[in-house]
Amino acid sequence: MSKKNIEKLLSDLTQVTAEPVRKGLSEDIKNRIPHKLIPHKGKDTINIMIDLRISKLTAAAAIIITLILCVNFLGDKNTDNLGLVQESKLLVNYFLSGGHKAIENNEYAGMEKYYNQLLKQGEDVIYYGNTIKPGDGDAILMQFKTNEGKYRIIFGDMKSKTVTAQELIKLQSEMLLKK
Amino acid sequence: MDKQPDSLAVRLKSADRLAAAELVDLYYEQIYRYIRRMGFGCAASEDLTQDVFFQAWRHIAQLRSDKMLRPWLYRIATNAARTQLRKKRRDTSLEEDELVDGSSQSWEKVENKELLLQLKKEIDNLPTKLKQVVLLHYMQHLTIAETADAICTGQGTVKSRISRALRKLRKQLEIKNEKNNE
């Protein structure tokens, strides 16, 4: 059997198998034309189709992170420089610990920011944030020297007061003894 | 001077709904028959044909020119059929018989019915890559270049696959013929 013969047979087969197509099919397809066909903008654009299935919890986390990003971009100064990861951690902490702990951590995070700011300004400042128990009213969270030669102290419960050098030494000793 | 009418591809890219309908009118029969010849039943072929056009509208940005329109649609159809085949390995075999058993009206006046039925069977038995080129080039009448575009390969590869496919079909039909003569 030659190549021509087989090609002739294929041609015959094509005709025989060209069965009629249901007339309504074209209408069925046309009815599915999207009402809003999106025009192609040009050669520089690409189409990204994402079929993403995520859990409700993940979706909630994504929404929260998006909100934080928006807040950062729209200029909420309280969250400035905290960093996305840190802020997300705070939110997760907030939900896991009923909100309490996260608030404390958040305050500490703000305090840390304040500490870094003072440090940059060349102030005589010490920060104990990592060593004290959150919310401890007797523990010194941060101390820095004022222009009058006194010391401004911020405690673990975020209360603050200005003390003399002697009073500061006394407070520090008490803090060490307690430890 | 008269302004040249925009090509179908250009109108499709500008989200023209009439162009979308025109695309259906031009190609729905071809695509349906191609899918049918790949071995799908009537209902499955209709569903897949609808999907092909739906995907075409969604991915219209990928279309480069009018020239590429036909092979591009066939590429979508080939991929859709392949995915469907993977999902359920031919559970449409009963419907498939409608096409193969030669009982439909179009087969009645055929002279070499037995031979054609045998050929149809041999095409179905070809490896997928060879079957694709036979269907696209000989039965859907795509050029070598269009066939190459439709299956995302080079023209040289298409030619070599066609050659291999024809050789295989010839051999199988000859064997069958010899057996019948004995």
Side-chain angles (χ1 to χ4, degrees):
Chain A
M1 189 179 279
S2 69
K3 188 186 170 188
K4 277 194 175 177
N5 279 347
I6 200 101
E7 284 179 336
K8 168 80 173 58
L9 281 173
L10 281 167
S11 170
D12 290 347
L13 185 65
T14 304
Q15 285 175 11
V16 179
T17 55
E19 60 178 72
V21 184
R22 184 172 63 84
K23 280 181 183 173
L25 180 61
S26 74
E27 288 309 311
D28 287 352
I29 299 171
K30 285 177 195 172
N31 287 338
R32 284 187 69 188
I33 298 174
H35 285 288
K36 281 187 180 177
L37 278 173
I38 300 159
H40 177 45
K41 300 286 182 192
K43 284 184 179 175
D44 293 338
T45 60
I46 54 163
N47 270 14
I48 302 173
M49 311 295 293
I50 302 172
D51 186 7
L52 193 63
R53 280 163 199 265
I54 52 174
S55 68
K56 283 179 182 175
L57 199 69
T58 317
I63 292 166
I64 289 167
I65 289 170
T66 312
L67 283 172
I68 292 168
L69 275 173
C70 288
V71 168
N72 273 336
F73 282 119
L74 294 173
D76 186 335
K77 302 301 175 193
N78 288 331
T79 56
D80 197 26
N81 291 333
L82 275 181
L84 180 65
V85 178
Q86 203 177 345
E87 283 158 10
S88 307
K89 276 182 184 172
L90 278 172
L91 274 158
V92 173
N93 281 342
Y94 181 80
F95 287 117
L96 292 178
S97 64
H100 224 59
K101 203 176 169 185
I103 288 168
E104 288 163 2
N105 285 342
N106 194 13
E107 283 172 345
Y108 285 5
M111 200 52 66
E112 203 169 351
K113 235 176 35 171
Y114 186 38
Y115 163 70
N116 286 325
Q117 204 178 324
L118 290 171
L119 209 63
K120 270 183 197 169
Q121 288 168 6
E123 298 287 343
D124 184 7
V125 58
I126 300 170
Y127 180 66
Y128 301 93
N130 299 326
T131 57
I132 68 155
K133 210 175 160 188
D136 188 350
D138 296 322
I140 300 170
L141 176 65
M142 191 168 83
Q143 67 178 65
F144 59 94
K145 203 170 183 178
T146 62
N147 292 336
E148 298 85 17
K150 289 187 174 178
Y151 289 90
R152 184 79 183 155
I153 295 171
I154 298 164
F155 294 96
D157 59 357
M158 302 312 287
K159 284 177 184 158
S160 63
K161 72 175 181 183
T162 306
V163 295
T164 60
Q166 285 77 19
E167 284 172 323
L168 175 65
I169 292 166
K170 198 180 164 193
L171 281 168
Q172 283 175 333
S173 310
E174 281 171 6
M175 202 170 124
L176 281 170
L177 280 172
K178 206 177 174 185
K179 272 192 178 180
Chain B
M1 193 194 277
D2 284 341
K3 198 184 164 192
Q4 286 277 317
D6 283 335
S7 70
L8 184 58
V10 171
R11 285 189 292 130
L12 281 168
K13 283 188 172 196
S14 61
D16 182 346
R17 279 176 61 81
L18 285 176
E22 204 177 313
L23 182 77
V24 178
D25 286 333
L26 274 173
Y27 293 109
Y28 84 98
E29 286 184 336
Q30 284 187 40
I31 296 297
Y32 171 84
R33 286 189 186 127
Y34 172 56
I35 294 168
R36 194 82 175 88
R37 281 171 178 144
M38 285 179 88
F40 288 91
C42 293
S45 299
E46 286 194 1
D47 288 346
L48 272 174
T49 307
Q50 293 197 31
D51 280 347
V52 168
F53 285 97
F54 198 63
Q55 283 184 46
W57 296 319
R58 284 171 67 188
H59 300 104
I60 196 66
Q62 291 168 6
L63 179 64
R64 277 173 278 164
S65 67
D66 254 0
K67 234 180 175 181
M68 303 295 291
L69 192 54
R70 192 158 79 129
W72 179 67
L73 273 179
Y74 273 98
R75 190 188 305 171
I76 297 173
T78 305
N79 291 338
R82 199 185 298 153
T83 311
Q84 191 64 21
L85 277 177
R86 268 189 216 136
K87 273 186 192 166
K88 40 179 182 178
R89 280 272 160 205
R90 301 238 185 144
D91 58 351
T92 54
S93 52
L94 279 175
E95 280 193 286
E96 192 184 340
D97 289 340
E98 297 164 20
L99 193 70
V100 182
D101 66 8
S103 59
S104 65
Q105 279 189 340
S106 52
W107 285 90
E108 282 171 8
K109 293 172 188 172
V110 178
E111 285 176 19
N112 44 3
K113 185 176 165 181
E114 289 302 318
L115 194 57
L116 290 183
L117 280 170
Q118 186 59 36
L119 177 61
K120 174 78 186 76
K121 199 177 162 189
E122 296 305 338
I123 292 171
D124 283 339
N125 289 336
L126 283 174
T128 313
K129 285 179 179 176
L130 301 187
K131 184 179 170 180
Q132 273 175 355
V133 291
V134 169
L135 291 183
L136 290 168
H137 184 59
Y138 286 106
M139 304 188 81
Q140 300 300 130
H141 306 298
L142 265 67
T143 63
I144 297 285
E146 285 176 330
T147 306
D149 279 334
I151 56 172
C152 299
T153 189
Q155 293 188 33
T157 311
V158 171
K159 283 178 192 169
S160 111
R161 282 182 192 172
I162 285 176
S163 171
R164 270 163 56 207
L166 292 186
R167 216 167 33 233
K168 249 187 172 175
L169 290 175
R170 224 157 60 193
K171 198 178 166 187
Q172 290 303 319
L173 288 180
E174 277 170 1
I175 292 169
K176 184 79 184 168
N177 212 14
E178 277 169 21
K179 275 184 185 172
N180 285 345
N181 287 339
E182 280 169 14

